[in-house]
Amino acid sequence: MEHVPALDEDLKKTLGPATAKVLAEQLGLHTALDLLHHYPRRYAERGELTSLADLADQIDEHVTVVAQVADARVLTFNGGRGKRLEVTITDGSGRLQLVFFGAGVHKPHKELLPGSRAMFAGKVSRFNHKLQLAHPAYEPLGAEASDRDAATAFANQLIPIYPACAKLESWKIAKCVDAVLPSAQAAVDPLPAALREGRGLVPLTEALLKIHRPATKADIEDARQRLKWDEAFVLQVALARRRHADAQLPAVPRRPAPGGLLDAFDAKLPFTLTEGQQKVSKEIFDDLATSHPMHRLLQGEVGSGKTMVALRAMLAVVDSGGQAAMLAPTEVLAQQHHRSVVEMMGELAEGGMLGGSDQGTKVVLLTGSMGMPARRQALLDLVTGEAGIVIGTHALIEDKVQFHDLGLVVVDEQHRFGVEQRDALRSKGKQPPHLLVMTATPIPRTVAMTVFGDLETSVLDQLPAGRSPIATHVVPAKDKPHFLARAWERVREEVEKGHQAYVVCPRIGDGEDEPKNGKKKAAAADDPDKRPPLAVLEVAEQLARGPLAGLSVEVLHGRMDPADKDDVMRRFTAGEVKVLVATTVIEVGVNVPNSTVMVIMDADRFGVSQLHQLRGRVGRGSAPGLCLLVSEMHEASPARARLAAVAATLDGFELSRIDLEQRREGDVLGQAQSGVRSSLRMLAVIEDEEVIAQAREEATRVVAEDPALERLPGLRTALDALLDTEREQYLEKG
C-alpha cells in the first residue's frame, strides 16, 4: 500500500530532501498541508491557445505558457563553432521566441518539431526589442499515447498551471501535489456543518481534490467558492474573537462635562462642523461613554477634518478627568499637529499659565530631539496630570514616560506603527485606554473588514466648507518639454499672487540614497527607468539658479537635523519661504492653507494613494489648488495610465480601489502582513466583497454563541494554523 503522508509531515519524507528544499526556500511550502493549499494559478486545456499577449508586462518574471511550435532553426556563430537553436511558438494571437545555446540545442531540436505542442516555463526577457525565453524548461504535450484511453483522457484534461519558480516548473509541482493528494482525505473541515450546508458549499476534502485535479470547469468553480469561504471565515473568526475579547476588557467611561472644556472649545469655533464630522463625533462619544475600550478606525479623505474630530475626542476625555495622547509617525508631523492643536485651542491650551483659560489644559509636545529641560518639564506635566493632551512620536513609548490617568490613545497614520509600539503606549493606562486610529489613506470597505477587522470603522468623506477643488494635470516632460517650462511659470504666477508652492522629489540626493552599483552617471539618459530618480538637493539647486531664480527656495527631507526641519517648516508656514522642495516627509498632516500649487517630479515613481495624499497638501485654503504630475514615461505605459487615473478623480476611495486592482496578486495587504498574505491564496479582497461581508456576519454570530469555539474543534484547529506568532502579531496591529 502506498504511503499517505500525514498533513503535518515534512515534505522531505514524501518528496526527498532536494525537492523539499526548493519548495521550502522558494515557495515557503514545508508540509503536505502547505502543498495542498498551493493552488493552481489557472488551468490550460489541450487545444486551448494560451494568450502570449500578457507577457509584455511580465519581464523578468517566471511564466508558464502552453503553445504550439511554429518553426525551429539552428544558427551557427563564431565561424561555426557556436550553435544557437531559435524556436518560435505561437498561440494564435502572438508569437514568442525561445533560444537554446551550445550543447543544449540537440534535445529540444529533436523534440520541438513544428506543429508539436508543449508547456514551456522560463524567465521572460527582452532581446533586440523581442520577448524571449532563454533555455526554457518544457514538457511536450504529445497525443501519441499507445493507450487510446489514456490519449482520450489527456485530450479532455484541464492542466493545472501552478505558481512556480526557476528551480521547479509548474508540471514538477503538479507531480509533487499528486504525491500528497491522498492525504487530503484527512483535512479537518473548519466550517460548521450548518453554515456549509446552508450556503451549498462542497466539503473541504472534495474542494481540495477538485481544485488540483478538476474534471470540469464546474469543479474548479465549486472548489474556489468553498476555499474562498474557508479563508474569509477563519480570518473573520480570528478578528471577531479579538473584538469579543476587547469588549470584555474594563475601561473608564469618559463623558464630557457640561459647560466644560469641549463646550468652551466648540463655542469659539469660527465655523460649523460638517455633517460628517458631527456624525463621526457622535459615534466616538458613544464609544467613549461605555465601560469597555473603544477600538475605532477613523478614515477620512485628505483634508476632511480628521484632526478636528480627534481633538474634540481628546477634549472630551480631558473634560472627564483623563489624559489623551496622540502618536504621530514623524517629528515633522508631531510638531505640525502640536502647532495646529495649540492654534485651534488658543487660550484653552494654556491651562494653569498666565493668560490661560480657567477651563483650559496644557498641551505638550514630546519628541526624541527635544532639549533636556523641555523634555523634563513635559514628563513632569504628564505624570502630575497638568498636561491633559500630549502629542509626540515614538518617544512617548519610552519607559520614562508616565501618565497621571491615560484615557485615550489616538494613533495617526496607523500603517506606520508596529504592534509593540501601539501596545506599549496603551499599557501606560491604569485600565486599557480607549483607542482611535486615524488614516488618510482611503481603504475600500473589504480591505477595512480584512485588515482592520478588529476595529469599528467611521468614514469622513465630506470636505469642510471653504476647501477649494484641486485641478490635477499630467505634465509629459519628455514628449512635451514646453509643458514643464509652463509648469514653472505657473509656480511663479502663484507666488506672485502671494501664494506658496511645494515641489516633491522621490529622493534626497545626499549620497546616502544613491544606487549602490555606482552606475548612476553611466545609465542611459534617454531611459527614465535607467536614470536614478530626481533628488531634492539637485532639483532645488537647479530651480533656484534657473526657472525659479529670485524666489526663496528651501529644502525639507527626513535626514535633516530636527531643529532645521522645524525652522524650515515654521518659516514656510509663516509665508517667508515661497517654494519648498521636499521628499514625501510632507505627505501627511502638513497644513499650510496658503500653498496652492504642487509639482511632483517623477510622479510615476509614487503609488496612486501616495499621489492622492501628497496632492491633499494644496487647496486647503480659499484659493483653488493645482497639482502637476511630471513624468518622462511614454503615453502608452501603465505608469502614465496610473497618473491619468489620479488626474481624473479626487475620490480617494475610487483611487484606492484602482491602486489595489493594479497591484500584483498577493500584494494587496501591504508589506508587513505576511501572515495574512500567505493565508489569502484564493480570496481577492477587492473582488470578493460579498463573501467577506457574509463571512464577517457569520463569524460574529458563531463567536457570540461560542467564544471559545468548544463545539467547533475543526475551526479551532484552522485558527491555530492561521495564528502562528507572526500572524497573531499582524492581527494585533489594529
Side-chain angles (χ1 to χ4, degrees):
M1 185 178 152
E2 67 170 307
H3 167 66
V4 175
L7 289 170
D8 58 357
E9 188 172 291
D10 194 298
L11 289 169
K12 281 188 203 126
K13 285 191 184 172
T14 319
L15 305 174
T19 304
K21 187 174 183 226
V22 175
L23 287 169
E25 288 177 1
Q26 302 285 316
L27 298 168
L29 307 174
H30 303 275
T31 65
L33 187 63
D34 290 344
L35 190 47
L36 286 175
H37 286 304
H38 186 70
Y39 307 132
R41 191 189 293 280
R42 60 186 181 84
Y43 302 84
E45 295 172 74
R46 182 154 165 62
E48 171 201 22
L49 290 174
T50 307
S51 168
L52 297 178
D54 301 335
L55 295 186
D57 293 333
Q58 300 190 43
I59 302 292
D60 288 339
E61 299 238 345
H62 289 279
V63 299
T64 304
V65 295
V66 177
Q68 188 164 348
V69 177
D71 65 61
R73 56 206 176 118
V74 175
L75 305 170
T76 57
F77 54 94
N78 272 358
R81 289 194 300 279
K83 284 187 177 176
R84 182 169 85 238
L85 170 65
E86 288 185 359
V87 178
T88 305
I89 59 173
T90 178
D91 66 352
S93 67
R95 296 162 87 79
L96 177 68
Q97 192 170 63
L98 317 175
V99 288
F100 301 86
F101 294 99
V105 306
H106 305 300
K107 186 168 179 278
H109 195 212
K110 277 193 298 207
E111 292 178 338
L112 299 177
L113 301 171
S116 64
R117 292 172 53 72
M119 282 202 284
F120 302 93
K123 192 172 174 182
V124 183
S125 60
R126 201 187 287 280
F127 182 73
N128 278 348
H129 305 296
K130 278 188 190 163
L131 293 179
Q132 69 169 26
L133 299 183
H135 277 287
Y138 62 90
E139 179 92 333
L141 299 178
E144 311 80 40
S146 51
D147 180 343
R148 279 280 136 237
D149 292 343
T152 309
F154 177 77
N156 297 324
Q157 191 185 3
L158 288 158
I159 305 161
I161 307 288
Y162 287 92
C165 60
K167 294 181 180 171
L168 211 58
E169 294 85 18
S170 170
W171 51 87
K172 288 183 182 164
I173 293 175
K175 286 173 183 162
C176 296
V177 170
D178 283 337
V180 300
L181 208 47
S183 61
Q185 299 297 338
V188 183
D189 201 322
L191 292 192
L195 187 160
R196 195 183 73 232
E197 286 153 19
R199 298 204 171 262
L201 300 167
V202 300
L204 178 58
T205 298
E206 189 181 324
L208 289 170
L209 294 172
K210 283 182 168 177
I211 200 74
H212 290 292
R213 298 298 172 260
T216 63
K217 288 184 177 173
D219 282 356
I220 299 169
E221 197 40 48
D222 284 352
R224 279 190 169 147
Q225 270 312 102
R226 165 60 217 248
L227 295 166
K228 278 179 183 182
W229 255 94
D230 276 17
E231 290 175 8
F233 182 69
V234 173
L235 179 57
Q236 291 301 335
V237 166
L239 294 164
R241 286 184 82 192
R242 183 165 166 84
R243 287 197 301 276
H244 185 271
D246 285 340
Q248 312 309 308
L249 292 172
V252 179
R254 308 282 180 176
R255 296 182 184 88
L261 181 56
L262 178 63
D263 284 351
F265 175 75
D266 284 350
K268 64 192 282 301
L269 277 181
F271 52 81
T272 41
L273 298 175
T274 64
E275 251 174 74
Q277 285 174 316
Q278 289 173 18
K279 174 176 157 288
V280 168
S281 290
K282 182 180 182 318
E283 291 169 351
I284 291 170
F285 290 153
D286 288 350
D287 282 0
L288 289 173
T290 61
S291 54
H292 57 81
M294 163 172 83
H295 287 90
R296 191 165 281 280
L297 169 69
L298 170 58
Q299 33 170 343
E301 270 290 14
V302 177
S304 58
K306 289 182 303 300
T307 311
M308 174 60 72
V309 169
L311 175 55
R312 293 183 73 244
M314 294 196 285
L315 295 175
V317 169
V318 175
D319 251 356
S320 71
Q323 291 168 292
M326 181 187 254
L327 187 59
T330 63
E331 292 213 351
V332 167
L333 192 48
Q335 287 159 344
Q336 175 79 33
H337 276 321
H338 181 255
R339 254 198 306 275
S340 58
V341 164
V342 169
E343 274 168 27
M344 284 194 272
M345 287 177 65
E347 76 277 6
L348 295 174
E350 296 165 359
M353 298 196 276
L354 202 61
S357 162
D358 295 342
Q359 292 162 311
T361 186
K362 219 177 199 184
V363 179
V364 298
L365 175 70
L366 191 65
T367 66
S369 66
M370 279 168 70
M372 224 34 232
R375 187 183 178 76
R376 228 180 262 120
Q377 185 59 52
L379 293 173
L380 185 64
D381 288 341
L382 287 178
V383 78
T384 59
E386 189 86 6
I389 295 175
V390 60
I391 296 166
T393 54
H394 51 270
L396 278 176
I397 294 162
E398 292 168 11
D399 292 343
K400 284 188 230 125
V401 181
Q402 300 296 325
F403 288 85
H404 177 65
D405 178 15
L406 181 60
L408 171 66
V409 172
V410 178
V411 180
D412 192 24
E413 288 310 315
Q414 159 70 21
H415 61 281
R416 311 274 185 103
F417 291 101
V419 193
E420 305 82 8
Q421 292 171 308
R422 190 217 58 199
D423 282 352
L425 182 51
R426 283 179 67 198
S427 68
K428 293 179 182 292
K430 293 183 179 124
Q431 283 195 325
H434 299 280
L435 175 70
L436 178 65
V437 165
M438 299 199 296
T439 178
T441 307
I443 305 163
R445 177 167 161 260
T446 43
V447 182
M449 282 191 292
T450 312
V451 182
F452 298 109
D454 58 339
L455 300 170
E456 300 303 325
T457 304
S458 295
V459 177
L460 264 182
D461 50 10
Q462 196 182 0
L463 291 186
R467 277 289 157 85
S468 303
I470 305 167
T472 309
H473 302 285
V474 179
V475 177
K478 202 168 170 194
D479 311 344
K480 299 177 177 168
H482 60 287
F483 276 37
L484 182 57
R486 176 70 188 122
W488 301 126
E489 283 171 20
R490 283 292 290 115
V491 171
R492 268 194 177 283
E493 287 163 15
E494 287 300 309
V495 172
E496 278 159 17
K497 286 183 200 164
H499 298 307
Q500 291 157 275
Y502 296 101
V503 178
V504 180
C505 304
R507 207 162 54 88
I508 298 171
D510 57 0
E512 288 191 38
D513 57 357
E514 301 298 352
K516 298 285 177 265
N517 57 16
K519 291 181 185 164
K520 146 179 133 124
K521 298 292 183 215
D526 60 349
D527 184 348
D529 278 342
K530 291 282 164 53
R531 71 156 169 77
L534 292 170
V536 165
L537 300 176
E538 292 157 18
V539 168
E541 194 184 329
Q542 287 161 11
L543 291 176
R545 283 207 316 260
L548 303 184
L551 303 184
S552 88
V553 177
E554 297 257 2
V555 301
L556 183 72
H557 60 76
R559 280 206 285 272
M560 284 166 65
D561 179 87
D564 294 343
K565 272 193 283 200
D566 198 32
D567 177 55
V568 169
M569 207 58 230
R570 193 178 285 108
R571 287 188 295 114
F572 186 63
T573 306
E576 295 163 29
V577 173
K578 298 303 179 191
V579 181
L580 189 63
V581 184
T583 55
T584 54
V585 72
I586 59 147
E587 181 185 343
V588 285
V590 174
N591 183 23
V592 180
N594 192 41
S595 305
T596 53
V597 60
M598 175 177 283
V599 183
I600 303 179
M601 308 303 290
D602 281 345
D604 45 89
R605 298 193 184 251
F606 300 96
V608 169
S609 294
Q610 200 173 24
L611 290 169
H612 182 58
Q613 285 286 336
L614 287 165
R615 164 171 68 183
R617 301 303 107 213
V618 296
R620 299 176 81 85
S622 52
L626 173 65
C627 179
L628 301 173
L629 307 173
V630 179
S631 172
E632 293 187 4
M633 301 303 279
H634 59 84
E635 200 169 353
S637 64
R640 279 284 292 278
R642 275 206 323 273
L643 298 184
V646 175
T649 179
L650 289 170
D651 181 341
F653 287 92
E654 174 58 25
L655 286 173
S656 68
R657 183 173 279 275
I658 291 169
D659 195 15
L660 289 174
E661 283 169 352
Q662 287 183 345
R663 290 196 212 176
R664 296 263 161 96
E665 173 190 345
D667 186 33
V668 164
L669 298 179
Q671 312 141 4
Q673 299 161 6
S674 49
V676 168
R677 172 175 169 174
S678 56
S679 70
L680 297 190
R681 297 178 174 92
M682 191 57 77
L683 195 70
V685 287
I686 287 292
E687 290 147 37
D688 297 319
E689 182 161 346
E690 211 173 304
V691 174
I692 293 170
Q694 290 169 0
R696 183 179 167 104
E697 270 174 43
E698 294 274 11
T700 306
R701 187 180 54 72
V702 164
V703 170
E705 289 169 8
D706 181 7
L709 307 178
E710 284 166 2
R711 300 190 291 280
L712 297 166
L715 178 53
R716 257 202 340 266
T717 306
L719 260 187
D720 292 342
L722 173 75
L723 298 183
D724 59 27
T725 322
E726 180 181 34
R727 296 170 197 184
E728 184 82 75
Q729 285 196 344
Y730 157 73
L731 286 174
E732 289 189 347
K733 84 184 202 34

